[in-house]
Amino acid sequence: MNYPFWDIDIGYGIIMAAIAVIHVFVSHFAIGGGLYLVIAETIARKNNDQLKLQFLEKLSKFFVLVSVVFGALTGVGIWFIIGLLNPAATEVLIHNYVWAWAAEWTFFVIEIIAALLYFYGWKTLSAKNHIIIGWIYFVSAWMSLFIINGIVTYMLTPGDWVVTGNFWDGYFNPTFWSSLWLRTGICIMLGGVYALFVASRYKADDFKKRIVRFNSLWAIGGLAIMIPTMLWYVSAIPKEIVDAALEANLTPIKAMNATYIYAAFLAFVLVVFGFLIPKKYNIVVGVVAMVLALGWFGEYEWMRESIRKPYVITNYMYANGIDVANAEKYQEEGLLESIEFQTADKPADLFRRACRSCHTFDGYKPLKPAFDGTDETFIAQIIMGTHVIRANMPPFVGTEEEAQMVASHIYKQIDKRHISEIYNLDGIALGKKVYDLRCGKCHIFGGFNDKSETLLGSTEEDLGDILDMAGDFADEMPEFTGDEKERKALIDYIMSLNEKEKN
Ligand code: HEC
Ligand code: HEC
């Protein structure tokens, strides 16, 4: 199945990230804030703490506005965007989880109604009823997290579902529970950080000291839940997925490390400004804490999304919307057949289907600089070998002829001057550039699929032989199609590394 396409120059990943990060931030905060409000209200009423009740009423106003309006708008926005960016995956999600979505929307409606009643009920409802409404709000909000959590985790770790096709196997998948409790911790942390932000604007008196401390403890409690549940979550991701990322795709690993840094800074701000010197928790600190929390969350979601590559649904559908089950068929019979909405430009259609979900030509993850100065044969061979390039890309699932068509489409648009001319390079510097363009996509010295052992131990003659035989090493490895000048520069470059190695 496929759909009309949507061509824009911005990377799909960036559009998704922009909307999704706002949405997950607001929606988790809405859940944690709900719990914060009812518990803080219960305590305040018990102590007849009027100042705190006033604070909570004020907080709930902002809270309802942000969570209901922003949450609902960006939630619809996410559907709109994923439908445009990856219609095939969106279809799978709706098709398999239609009852889950129906339940989710039901809870969402209850959540919205309860939120409005809670906000408008401060003066009109009895204390008891008001707190009951607050609980209804929190529980229904958390239930929608419970439901969506099953679907989001299924995309990364569908578990036995890939074999059985059983709804529950996909739903209660290997990362379901760890992710649920991790996200619950995130909700609590965000609720606290948000309440802190509101309190940060208060003047530095005794009430501020009290409320900032309370809010900080709340947020620290959330962080404390996040630490073990994050470790649990990471350990629940199957080893193959983590290993594949460690080998070829450092994006999720970097994102994961960034989450630790954000968490450490956030903990510092909460303990020092929130707990030790609460009167100093001013608006600047409030903003910094929000930014750190948002940064943490952005990196976490980035990790989760990028570790899934080359799939959008692990082992079931590639990130470009092509189902794994049909890959072999397309490779034999052709991918073009499967494209329902074709234009007069077949090569461009193939490019859209196979590559466009992740690359633009000269904007986001651009292909132009990766190919400027190379040739059509090389490009076609790279296309046939995308799955062995560093980055965990899906394989090209079309025929060789179709790879050639995509190559012609790319070749038409690149800079056809000599590499030395485009980059104004000569000698060893030129050789390094040739290496980066023609070899470095698949072999990084000291890194991914390193060939230093063979290359740095070779004489000039051996290197010449290696280049002559390049096409024979593996189906996916391109032959060397550069000219004499490039060839000489490349050999000189490798020999220069060779010298360095010896010294
Ligand atoms: C699932 C997303 C995805 C798809 C689909 C995809 N790529 Fe990639 N590709 C990537 C990522 C991510 C990188 C790494 C980019 C980076 O490191 O900046 C990459 C890197 C590359 C590189 C190396 C770039 C360089 O500078 O060395 C080439 C060439 C490439 N892709 C070509 C293609 C072609 C051709 C297609 C279609 C047949 C394709 N890709 C499909 C995600 C994808
Ligand atoms: C599209 C990816 C790709 C590109 C580009 C590429 N290679 Fe390879 N190369 C491979 C694969 C796949 C193998 C065989 C399996 C393996 O060892 O990973 C291989 C094997 C080799 C080997 C031999 C085996 C060994 O283990 O010693 C050498 C040497 C080598 N490549 C050097 C190069 C050089 C030099 C270039 C640039 C001119 C280059 N490769 C470009 C993918 C590539």
Side-chain angles (χ1 to χ4, degrees):
M1 177 53 114
N2 53 88
Y3 307 80
F5 53 83
W6 186 46
D7 259 351
I8 37 147
D9 274 335
I10 315 167
Y12 286 2
I14 296 288
I15 302 176
M16 184 64 197
I19 296 203
V21 166
I22 299 176
H23 179 73
V24 294
F25 197 64
V26 171
S27 59
H28 286 68
F29 144 72
I31 300 167
L35 185 63
Y36 172 91
L37 282 171
V38 275
I39 291 188
E41 184 187 346
T42 308
I43 298 173
R45 287 206 192 267
K46 215 171 179 175
N47 302 335
N48 199 13
D49 185 342
Q50 289 305 322
L51 283 171
K52 197 166 184 181
L53 286 171
Q54 275 166 24
F55 171 79
L56 294 175
E57 184 173 352
K58 202 164 171 184
L59 180 69
S60 71
K61 178 173 180 182
F62 223 63
F63 173 77
V64 166
L65 204 72
V66 170
S67 64
V68 172
V69 178
F70 250 104
L73 279 180
T74 53
V76 174
I78 285 201
W79 279 104
F80 191 72
I81 284 296
I82 63 173
L84 283 168
L85 301 187
N86 201 333
T90 308
E91 189 186 297
V92 173
L93 294 186
I94 294 179
H95 187 86
N96 285 297
Y97 291 103
V98 69
W99 290 109
W101 294 118
E104 199 271 325
W105 278 317
T106 310
F107 281 117
F108 182 66
V109 171
I110 300 175
E111 178 188 331
I112 299 271
I113 294 171
L116 293 172
L117 285 178
Y118 185 81
F119 169 59
Y120 288 110
W122 277 102
K123 299 263 163 2
T124 47
L125 290 174
S126 71
K128 189 171 161 225
N129 287 343
H130 193 244
I131 289 177
I132 290 176
I133 296 282
W135 278 110
I136 294 177
Y137 171 83
F138 163 68
V139 171
S140 54
W142 188 80
M143 279 310 293
S144 53
L145 169 70
F146 186 94
I147 292 172
I148 293 192
N149 179 61
I151 299 168
V152 170
T153 51
Y154 143 87
M155 293 173 74
L156 175 62
T157 56
D160 295 338
W161 174 86
V162 178
V163 183
T164 63
N166 181 307
F167 176 93
W168 299 110
D169 286 345
Y171 194 79
F172 290 110
N173 63 75
T175 51
F176 179 88
W177 293 106
S178 54
S179 165
L180 180 68
W181 298 117
L182 170 59
R183 285 184 185 274
T184 302
I186 298 171
C187 291
I188 293 174
M189 179 274 283
L190 285 178
V193 169
Y194 191 77
L196 275 169
F197 176 73
V198 173
S200 74
R201 294 152 60 217
Y202 278 48
K203 64 173 190 302
D205 57 11
D206 280 346
F207 175 69
K208 174 160 182 168
K209 183 171 157 188
R210 200 147 62 79
I211 194 77
V212 165
R213 269 212 178 130
F214 179 82
N215 297 347
S216 297
L217 277 178
W218 182 275
I220 291 169
L223 260 181
I225 297 174
M226 284 161 61
I227 295 166
T229 49
M230 176 82 168
L231 297 174
W232 177 18
Y233 174 77
V234 171
S235 70
I237 300 173
K239 196 171 171 308
E240 316 82 92
I241 297 180
V242 178
D243 286 350
L246 279 171
E247 203 194 328
N249 180 11
L250 293 180
T251 311
I253 312 297
K254 283 185 198 151
M256 173 99 91
N257 291 338
T259 63
Y260 298 137
I261 295 170
Y262 279 110
F265 277 109
L266 183 59
F268 175 81
V269 171
L270 292 175
V271 170
V272 172
F273 288 92
F275 198 74
L276 299 179
I277 44 170
K279 283 189 186 170
K280 294 252 158 40
Y281 202 101
N282 59 24
I283 189 138
V284 177
V285 183
V287 170
V288 167
M290 286 282 248
V291 169
L292 290 170
L294 184 67
W296 184 92
F297 214 170
E299 296 288 353
Y300 168 74
E301 297 285 1
W302 195 257
M303 183 277 285
R304 191 182 52 72
E305 293 274 323
S306 60
I307 201 170
R308 212 167 51 203
K309 281 223 318 283
Y311 304 102
V312 61
I313 300 168
T314 302
N315 292 333
Y316 180 76
M317 182 177 276
Y318 289 117
N320 50 10
I322 294 176
D323 27 322
V324 178
N326 284 329
E328 257 177 57
K329 181 175 139 212
Y330 295 152
Q331 245 149 0
E332 277 163 28
E333 297 170 17
L335 182 60
L336 206 51
E337 290 272 297
S338 79
I339 305 180
E340 221 158 279
F341 288 85
Q342 299 195 10
T343 64
D345 188 349
K346 306 265 175 282
D349 290 340
L350 281 166
F351 176 78
R352 281 188 195 105
R353 182 91 163 105
C355 320
R356 182 58 190 91
S357 55
C358 305
H359 293 284
T360 62
F361 203 70
D362 44 18
Y364 178 75
K365 288 200 201 315
L367 287 183
K368 186 175 173 325
F371 290 120
D372 275 346
T374 65
D375 54 90
E376 206 170 326
T377 313
F378 173 75
I379 301 172
Q381 288 177 345
I382 288 288
I383 292 169
M384 291 300 285
T386 46
H387 54 292
V388 298
I389 293 181
R390 53 153 190 97
N392 275 340
M393 273 186 271
F396 177 73
V397 295
T399 61
E400 269 188 66
E401 211 176 80
E402 287 173 334
Q404 200 66 52
M405 289 164 81
V406 177
S408 73
H409 173 72
I410 295 176
Y411 185 67
K412 261 202 315 227
Q413 306 172 72
I414 62 170
D415 193 331
K416 298 184 187 57
R417 287 175 299 163
H418 197 273
I419 296 177
S420 61
E421 226 181 299
I422 300 173
Y423 298 100
N424 199 13
L425 295 171
D426 243 322
I428 289 175
L430 172 63
K432 179 174 187 315
K433 191 77 201 173
V434 174
Y435 186 88
D436 289 347
L437 287 173
R438 291 191 178 268
C439 316
K441 292 175 169 61
C442 300
H443 308 302
I444 295 174
F445 285 121
F448 177 66
N449 202 354
D450 191 0
K451 292 294 174 221
S452 5
E453 219 169 281
T454 310
L455 296 177
L456 303 192
S458 297
T459 60
E460 230 177 294
E461 263 189 335
D462 293 343
L463 288 176
D465 290 344
I466 287 175
L467 293 186
D468 287 340
M469 302 188 324
D472 303 331
F473 284 127
D475 285 347
E476 299 90 355
M477 175 156 151
E479 45 192 303
F480 184 75
T481 45
D483 63 7
E484 260 321 299
K485 184 172 175 185
E486 280 184 22
R487 181 190 164 94
K488 181 165 183 327
L490 176 57
I491 293 179
D492 287 349
Y493 165 64
I494 298 174
M495 289 305 291
S496 76
L497 296 177
N498 221 339
E499 289 297 310
K500 255 192 232 152
E501 183 95 324
K502 268 188 228 145
N503 292 335

